[in-house]
Amino acid sequence: MRHLLTLADLTTAEIEQIFSISKQLKRKCRDGVREPLLSGRVMALLFEKPSLRTRASFEAAMAHLGGNSIFLGDEAGFGRRESVADFARSLSGYADVVVVRAGSHRTVVDLAEHCTCPVINGLTDFGHPCQALADLFTIGESTGKPAGQTLAWIGDANNVARSIAVGCGKLGVRMVMATPEKYRFDEQSLAWIRRQSPDLELIVTDDPFRAVRDAAAIYTDVWASMGQEVENELRRREFAPFQVNAALIERARPDAIFMHCLPAHRGEEVTDEVIDGPRSVVVEQSANRMHVQKGLLAWMLT
Ligand code: CP
Ligand code: NVA
């Protein structure tokens, strides 16, 4: 039994295998074919935080594969009504896989320790591995092959950035991060990323113009993630020079794509003209969440 708590749980070969299944399933889906590879299987979704894409894409993925989903929100009383161990053991009796979105990464690790079925991280404060998988798949689709490409990360060194960094290292993508000094990966995160992805080429700068120069993909995310709302005002001021706008995009390669995991705070980390502009792949990127999670579920459960 395998969990997916961070991208460190997958080897490069396994990621490539998942992408290959995802590609086939996406092609079939576009042709109107939805094979019931997971007929009768049950996926539980346990969410402590709001979600559109992660919840809907996982539920749609499971429906396409012929399985079923049980969504457990606040009323399940996770962390309040009983111990994590009792919750995990009971839920494992009903579900073949559990997708969990939690405020603290520790919660997901604890849950996985006690579940007797695979657990997938659907976002924590530490990482968002399913997002990074879909993003690297999207880069592969638009460039032909992720290896050898450069991704410019403009903004906070957050959960998504951490997962993308590990994924970039595993797939041979160079990562250039333009981040205010105070918001870069801390020493512990950097050491963890280096351990998981020793081959990662990571360049950190405070100049977004330098970061986008050779990039095939320009990626940003919100300046304040879920749970950091009290820092909104401060972060708005400190990240202002890191906005992805027309002036920044003009300095990028003409074929560079713009990416965002969504939800976006338009007018903050990205302007309307960029996110709605011709280089933006955010809609395809969000659709790929479903296609790649179909690949992941099929790989994990068949
Ligand atoms: N990108 C992403 O995970 O979106 P949600 O928060 O809507 O799930
Ligand atoms: N960094 C964001 C990602 C949302 C999908 C957050 O954690 O809120």
Side-chain angles (χ1 to χ4, degrees):
M1 181 184 77
R2 299 281 297 274
H3 298 305
L4 176 58
L5 306 189
T6 73
L7 272 195
D9 293 329
L10 297 174
T11 64
T12 301
E14 287 170 341
I15 294 174
E16 282 165 355
Q17 220 179 326
I18 291 166
F19 284 1
S20 156
I21 302 169
S22 306
K23 200 171 160 186
Q24 284 171 34
L25 291 174
K26 182 172 178 177
R27 198 177 306 128
K28 284 185 182 164
C29 186
R30 293 267 154 98
D31 293 342
V33 179
R34 295 177 184 181
E35 282 173 316
L37 300 175
L38 299 180
S39 169
R41 301 297 193 94
V42 174
M43 172 180 65
L45 295 135
L46 176 61
F47 277 44
E48 288 185 342
K49 286 180 174 183
S51 170
L52 166 64
R53 280 147 290 266
T54 305
R55 175 186 178 175
S57 59
F58 263 112
E59 289 198 19
M62 202 57 176
H64 283 198
L65 293 168
N68 290 286
S69 305
I70 304 169
F71 182 77
L72 301 165
D74 192 50
E75 73 292 344
F78 178 57
R80 292 196 313 273
R81 291 182 68 228
E82 57 194 313
S83 73
V84 170
D86 288 344
F87 193 103
R89 288 185 199 119
S90 297
L91 190 56
S92 304
Y94 318 131
D96 298 294
V97 58
V98 177
V99 179
V100 55
R101 170 168 287 199
S104 159
H105 191 73
R106 186 74 240 165
T107 306
V108 176
V109 173
D110 288 347
L111 188 84
E113 248 169 48
H114 298 288
C115 272
T116 53
C117 66
V119 172
I120 298 174
N121 176 359
L123 181 144
T124 65
D125 54 343
F126 187 72
H128 198 0
C130 299
Q131 180 70 53
L133 279 180
D135 297 340
L136 288 158
F137 181 85
T138 305
I139 293 172
E141 275 187 333
S142 66
T143 61
K145 196 168 179 253
Q149 304 294 343
T150 298
L151 179 145
W153 178 275
I154 313 293
D156 192 21
N158 63 13
N159 45 3
V160 176
R162 209 175 278 107
S163 296
I164 286 184
V166 174
C168 281
K170 284 182 184 278
L171 296 187
V173 178
R174 183 167 163 259
M175 186 171 181
V176 186
M177 295 183 83
T179 306
E181 207 166 332
K182 188 173 150 190
Y183 296 98
R184 293 177 186 172
F185 288 132
D186 59 21
E187 282 308 314
Q188 223 184 335
S189 281
L190 260 186
W192 180 80
I193 291 166
R194 292 258 175 248
R195 263 199 318 279
Q196 308 310 329
S197 278
D199 297 331
L200 173 67
E201 193 183 341
L202 176 67
I203 294 159
V204 183
T205 171
D206 51 15
D207 180 0
F209 290 93
R210 182 182 162 214
V212 301
R213 211 167 42 203
D214 301 317
I218 298 166
Y219 201 126
T220 192
D221 185 13
V222 291
W223 292 335
S225 287
M226 289 182 274
Q228 296 174 327
E229 289 78 4
V230 289
E231 295 177 29
N232 261 341
E233 275 312 310
L234 175 69
R235 283 172 175 260
R236 243 177 238 147
R237 282 197 301 278
E238 298 191 319
F239 279 99
F242 294 80
Q243 183 184 66
V244 180
N245 51 31
L248 184 64
I249 288 287
E250 267 169 31
R251 301 278 283 275
R253 276 170 32 183
D255 60 343
I257 55 171
F258 171 75
M259 304 181 76
H260 193 306
C261 56
L262 303 179
H265 293 168
R266 288 164 175 258
E268 294 187 17
E269 76 275 5
V270 62
T271 57
D272 287 340
E273 59 193 338
V274 172
I275 198 167
D276 298 328
R279 290 157 180 270
S280 176
V281 297
V282 298
V283 176
E284 191 69 9
Q285 184 186 354
S286 115
N288 277 340
R289 291 292 306 278
M290 180 187 75
H291 298 298
V292 174
Q293 285 155 199
K294 281 171 78 172
L296 173 67
L297 290 169
W299 177 81
M300 262 185 160
L301 301 179
T302 55

